[in-house]
mmCIF file of all heavy atoms in Angstrom:
data_model
loop_
_atom_site.group_PDB
_atom_site.id
_atom_site.type_symbol
_atom_site.label_atom_id
_atom_site.label_comp_id
_atom_site.label_asym_id
_atom_site.label_seq_id
_atom_site.Cartn_x
_atom_site.Cartn_y
_atom_site.Cartn_z
ATOM 1 N N ALA Q 17 58.821 -0.128 -1.070
ATOM 2 C CA ALA Q 17 58.947 -1.394 -0.344
ATOM 3 C C ALA Q 17 57.609 -2.118 -0.218
ATOM 4 O O ALA Q 17 57.570 -3.338 -0.045
ATOM 5 C CB ALA Q 17 59.540 -1.150 1.039
ATOM 6 N N ALA Q 18 56.515 -1.387 -0.310
ATOM 7 C CA ALA Q 18 55.186 -1.999 -0.197
ATOM 8 C C ALA Q 18 54.694 -2.587 -1.517
ATOM 9 O O ALA Q 18 53.783 -3.419 -1.526
ATOM 10 C CB ALA Q 18 54.182 -0.964 0.310
ATOM 11 N N VAL Q 19 55.301 -2.159 -2.637
ATOM 12 C CA VAL Q 19 54.890 -2.666 -3.953
ATOM 13 C C VAL Q 19 55.131 -4.171 -3.995
ATOM 14 O O VAL Q 19 56.184 -4.660 -3.604
ATOM 15 C CB VAL Q 19 55.670 -1.957 -5.084
ATOM 16 C CG1 VAL Q 19 55.392 -2.616 -6.432
ATOM 17 C CG2 VAL Q 19 55.325 -0.480 -5.116
ATOM 18 N N GLY Q 20 54.142 -4.885 -4.481
ATOM 19 C CA GLY Q 20 54.269 -6.328 -4.624
ATOM 20 C C GLY Q 20 53.743 -7.112 -3.439
ATOM 21 O O GLY Q 20 53.458 -8.295 -3.559
ATOM 22 N N HIS Q 21 53.604 -6.459 -2.284
ATOM 23 C CA HIS Q 21 53.129 -7.161 -1.090
ATOM 24 C C HIS Q 21 51.613 -7.118 -0.959
ATOM 25 O O HIS Q 21 51.048 -7.781 -0.094
ATOM 26 C CB HIS Q 21 53.770 -6.571 0.173
ATOM 27 C CG HIS Q 21 55.241 -6.827 0.227
ATOM 28 N ND1 HIS Q 21 55.783 -8.061 0.501
ATOM 29 C CD2 HIS Q 21 56.298 -6.002 0.014
ATOM 30 C CE1 HIS Q 21 57.095 -7.992 0.472
ATOM 31 N NE2 HIS Q 21 57.436 -6.749 0.162
ATOM 32 N N ARG Q 22 50.985 -6.310 -1.768
ATOM 33 C CA ARG Q 22 49.519 -6.201 -1.781
ATOM 34 C C ARG Q 22 49.108 -5.892 -3.209
ATOM 35 O O ARG Q 22 49.950 -5.599 -4.054
ATOM 36 C CB ARG Q 22 49.051 -5.128 -0.802
ATOM 37 C CG ARG Q 22 49.621 -3.760 -1.113
ATOM 38 C CD ARG Q 22 49.290 -2.737 -0.078
ATOM 39 N NE ARG Q 22 50.417 -2.667 0.841
ATOM 40 C CZ ARG Q 22 50.461 -1.927 1.902
ATOM 41 N NH1 ARG Q 22 49.444 -1.199 2.221
ATOM 42 N NH2 ARG Q 22 51.514 -1.902 2.671
ATOM 43 N N SER Q 23 47.839 -5.931 -3.467
ATOM 44 C CA SER Q 23 47.394 -5.629 -4.830
ATOM 45 C C SER Q 23 47.709 -4.177 -5.168
ATOM 46 O O SER Q 23 47.848 -3.329 -4.275
ATOM 47 C CB SER Q 23 45.891 -5.880 -4.965
ATOM 48 O OG SER Q 23 45.151 -4.874 -4.292
ATOM 49 N N GLY Q 24 47.791 -3.891 -6.445
ATOM 50 C CA GLY Q 24 48.025 -2.522 -6.883
ATOM 51 C C GLY Q 24 46.918 -1.593 -6.439
ATOM 52 O O GLY Q 24 47.170 -0.442 -6.058
ATOM 53 N N LEU Q 25 45.683 -2.068 -6.473
ATOM 54 C CA LEU Q 25 44.555 -1.253 -6.043
ATOM 55 C C LEU Q 25 44.671 -0.904 -4.563
ATOM 56 O O LEU Q 25 44.500 0.257 -4.171
ATOM 57 C CB LEU Q 25 43.232 -1.976 -6.321
ATOM 58 C CG LEU Q 25 41.955 -1.235 -5.956
ATOM 59 C CD1 LEU Q 25 41.855 0.104 -6.694
ATOM 60 C CD2 LEU Q 25 40.741 -2.102 -6.265
ATOM 61 N N ASP Q 26 45.001 -1.893 -3.738
ATOM 62 C CA ASP Q 26 45.157 -1.628 -2.298
ATOM 63 C C ASP Q 26 46.308 -0.666 -2.026
ATOM 64 O O ASP Q 26 46.191 0.230 -1.191
ATOM 65 C CB ASP Q 26 45.368 -2.932 -1.522
ATOM 66 C CG ASP Q 26 44.104 -3.771 -1.440
ATOM 67 O OD1 ASP Q 26 43.001 -3.232 -1.656
ATOM 68 O OD2 ASP Q 26 44.239 -4.982 -1.167
ATOM 69 N N LEU Q 27 47.415 -0.829 -2.743
ATOM 70 C CA LEU Q 27 48.557 0.056 -2.548
ATOM 71 C C LEU Q 27 48.186 1.499 -2.889
ATOM 72 O O LEU Q 27 48.452 2.420 -2.114
ATOM 73 C CB LEU Q 27 49.740 -0.393 -3.407
ATOM 74 C CG LEU Q 27 50.974 0.488 -3.214
ATOM 75 C CD1 LEU Q 27 52.130 -0.327 -2.693
ATOM 76 C CD2 LEU Q 27 51.333 1.211 -4.483
ATOM 77 N N LEU Q 28 47.539 1.707 -4.029
ATOM 78 C CA LEU Q 28 47.173 3.069 -4.430
ATOM 79 C C LEU Q 28 46.096 3.663 -3.527
ATOM 80 O O LEU Q 28 46.097 4.868 -3.274
ATOM 81 C CB LEU Q 28 46.745 3.100 -5.894
ATOM 82 C CG LEU Q 28 47.905 2.882 -6.881
ATOM 83 C CD1 LEU Q 28 47.384 2.744 -8.298
ATOM 84 C CD2 LEU Q 28 48.926 3.997 -6.778
#
Side-chain angles (χ1 to χ4, degrees):
V19 172
H21 293 287
R22 59 186 96 183
S23 73
L25 181 59
D26 288 341
L27 181 119
L28 289 173

